[in-house]
Amino acid sequence: MSYEEKRTWIYAVVAIAAPAVYVTYILGKVASTPVTNIDYVGAMLIAIGGAILASIVAGMFIGISSSKEAGRKDERDQEIGHRGFILGFFVFSILMVAPLVMAMTEVPHFWIANTIYLAFALTAFLYSVLKIVAYRRGF
């Protein structure tokens, strides 16, 4: 498994784990608090910061364990990254229509922010899945 593929696996795991922890926390609050009164900002920032930190730390461990390959990309890695980026762009663009419409119709900020976070999380996961499939099966 190449260094870039290992990094993609890390990205996929973090793209699922961080939002899952965040959603679990928020759902725990829903039972006792109306959704529009839930203080989601701090929890969302912690989830995003934790995801970034986890990706960095895991990437460092992968880099240390495969120091010969670290930072090296061949043409295949570049092509897979490029195609993954294009798919991610289109997925994110489509998903962002929902929060845009929500903002135009003055939906409470809780729903808009969580829809945007969901769009980021889904895009990151789909981007990773596409890259992993490309590494395993090719285009």
Side-chain angles (χ1 to χ4, degrees):
M1 185 181 309
S2 73
Y3 173 74
E4 286 298 315
E5 186 178 354
K6 291 175 188 174
R7 287 186 55 209
T8 303
W9 275 102
I10 290 169
Y11 196 63
V13 169
V14 170
I16 289 295
V21 170
Y22 171 75
V23 167
T24 303
Y25 172 78
I26 293 298
L27 288 177
K29 299 278 188 184
V30 168
S32 61
T33 310
V35 259
T36 54
N37 293 341
I38 293 175
D39 185 23
Y40 66 91
V41 176
M44 188 180 288
L45 290 175
I46 289 170
I48 293 168
I52 292 168
L53 184 62
S55 293
I56 290 170
V57 170
M60 288 171 49
F61 281 118
I62 294 296
I64 291 168
S65 69
S66 55
S67 60
K68 292 179 183 178
E69 298 175 8
R72 292 176 43 203
K73 288 185 178 182
D74 60 12
E75 290 178 24
R76 181 174 179 242
D77 290 327
Q78 290 175 344
E79 183 65 25
I80 289 171
H82 179 70
R83 289 186 183 200
F85 178 78
I86 290 171
L87 174 76
F89 173 78
F90 284 117
V91 168
F92 188 68
S93 298
I94 291 166
L95 291 175
M96 287 306 292
V97 171
L100 179 63
V101 170
M102 293 167 84
M104 290 176 179
T105 58
E106 299 180 7
V107 171
H109 291 157
F110 173 87
W111 295 110
I112 296 170
N114 282 287
T115 304
I116 292 170
Y117 185 54
L118 176 65
F120 276 114
L122 285 174
T123 300
F125 181 69
L126 292 174
Y127 168 79
S128 299
V129 167
L130 173 77
K131 286 180 69 174
I132 290 167
V133 168
Y135 276 114
R136 295 295 168 165
R137 295 189 179 159
F139 282 108

